[in-house]
PDB file of all heavy atoms in Angstrom:
ATOM      1  N   ALA A 439      60.293 112.244 -25.205  1.00 98.00           N
ATOM      2  CA  ALA A 439      60.952 111.394 -24.214  1.00 98.00           C
ATOM      3  C   ALA A 439      62.463 111.449 -24.403  1.00 98.00           C
ATOM      4  O   ALA A 439      63.226 111.587 -23.441  1.00 98.00           O
ATOM      5  CB  ALA A 439      60.446 109.955 -24.346  1.00 98.00           C
ATOM      6  N   LYS A 440      62.867 111.364 -25.653  1.00 98.00           N
ATOM      7  CA  LYS A 440      64.300 111.409 -25.961  1.00 98.00           C
ATOM      8  C   LYS A 440      64.902 112.745 -25.516  1.00 98.00           C
ATOM      9  O   LYS A 440      65.938 112.797 -24.856  1.00 98.00           O
ATOM     10  CB  LYS A 440      64.481 111.213 -27.472  1.00 98.00           C
ATOM     11  CG  LYS A 440      65.912 111.061 -27.913  1.00 98.00           C
ATOM     12  CD  LYS A 440      65.945 110.774 -29.403  1.00 98.00           C
ATOM     13  CE  LYS A 440      67.378 110.848 -29.933  1.00 98.00           C
ATOM     14  NZ  LYS A 440      67.420 110.661 -31.378  1.00 98.00           N
ATOM     15  N   LYS A 441      64.215 113.820 -25.854  1.00 97.00           N
ATOM     16  CA  LYS A 441      64.695 115.169 -25.500  1.00 97.00           C
ATOM     17  C   LYS A 441      64.768 115.344 -23.983  1.00 97.00           C
ATOM     18  O   LYS A 441      65.753 115.843 -23.448  1.00 97.00           O
ATOM     19  CB  LYS A 441      63.732 116.195 -26.111  1.00 97.00           C
ATOM     20  CG  LYS A 441      64.111 117.642 -25.867  1.00 97.00           C
ATOM     21  CD  LYS A 441      63.080 118.583 -26.501  1.00 97.00           C
ATOM     22  CE  LYS A 441      63.252 119.995 -25.970  1.00 97.00           C
ATOM     23  NZ  LYS A 441      62.071 120.826 -26.195  1.00 97.00           N
ATOM     24  N   ALA A 442      63.713 114.914 -23.282  1.00 97.00           N
ATOM     25  CA  ALA A 442      63.654 115.111 -21.827  1.00 97.00           C
ATOM     26  C   ALA A 442      64.775 114.352 -21.128  1.00 97.00           C
ATOM     27  O   ALA A 442      65.375 114.844 -20.173  1.00 97.00           O
ATOM     28  CB  ALA A 442      62.299 114.653 -21.301  1.00 97.00           C
ATOM     29  N   LEU A 443      65.068 113.143 -21.616  1.00 97.00           N
ATOM     30  CA  LEU A 443      66.081 112.315 -20.952  1.00 97.00           C
ATOM     31  C   LEU A 443      67.490 112.712 -21.364  1.00 97.00           C
ATOM     32  O   LEU A 443      68.447 112.487 -20.635  1.00 97.00           O
ATOM     33  CB  LEU A 443      65.828 110.834 -21.259  1.00 97.00           C
ATOM     34  CG  LEU A 443      64.517 110.298 -20.678  1.00 97.00           C
ATOM     35  CD1 LEU A 443      64.222 108.908 -21.210  1.00 97.00           C
ATOM     36  CD2 LEU A 443      64.569 110.282 -19.152  1.00 97.00           C
ATOM     37  N   THR A 444      67.609 113.344 -22.507  1.00 95.00           N
ATOM     38  CA  THR A 444      68.918 113.819 -22.938  1.00 95.00           C
ATOM     39  C   THR A 444      69.320 115.044 -22.111  1.00 95.00           C
ATOM     40  O   THR A 444      70.478 115.237 -21.789  1.00 95.00           O
ATOM     41  CB  THR A 444      68.891 114.163 -24.453  1.00 95.00           C
ATOM     42  OG1 THR A 444      68.406 113.014 -25.151  1.00 95.00           O
ATOM     43  CG2 THR A 444      70.254 114.530 -24.972  1.00 95.00           C
ATOM     44  N   GLY A 445      68.328 115.836 -21.751  1.00 78.00           N
ATOM     45  CA  GLY A 445      68.611 117.051 -20.974  1.00 78.00           C
ATOM     46  C   GLY A 445      68.576 116.821 -19.473  1.00 78.00           C
ATOM     47  O   GLY A 445      68.385 117.756 -18.700  1.00 78.00           O
ATOM     48  N   LEU A 446      68.732 115.568 -19.062  1.00 88.00           N
ATOM     49  CA  LEU A 446      68.617 115.227 -17.639  1.00 88.00           C
ATOM     50  C   LEU A 446      69.600 116.036 -16.787  1.00 88.00           C
ATOM     51  O   LEU A 446      70.741 116.226 -17.158  1.00 88.00           O
ATOM     52  CB  LEU A 446      68.906 113.729 -17.462  1.00 88.00           C
ATOM     53  CG  LEU A 446      68.008 112.986 -16.501  1.00 88.00           C
ATOM     54  CD1 LEU A 446      66.547 113.179 -16.853  1.00 88.00           C
ATOM     55  CD2 LEU A 446      68.341 111.501 -16.516  1.00 88.00           C
ATOM     56  N   GLY A 447      69.110 116.476 -15.637  1.00 85.00           N
ATOM     57  CA  GLY A 447      69.971 117.288 -14.766  1.00 85.00           C
ATOM     58  C   GLY A 447      69.501 118.725 -14.736  1.00 85.00           C
ATOM     59  O   GLY A 447      69.703 119.448 -13.763  1.00 85.00           O
TER      60      GLY A 447
END
Side-chain angles (χ1 to χ4, degrees):
K440 187 176 170 184
K441 182 181 166 198
L443 295 171
T444 306
L446 222 54

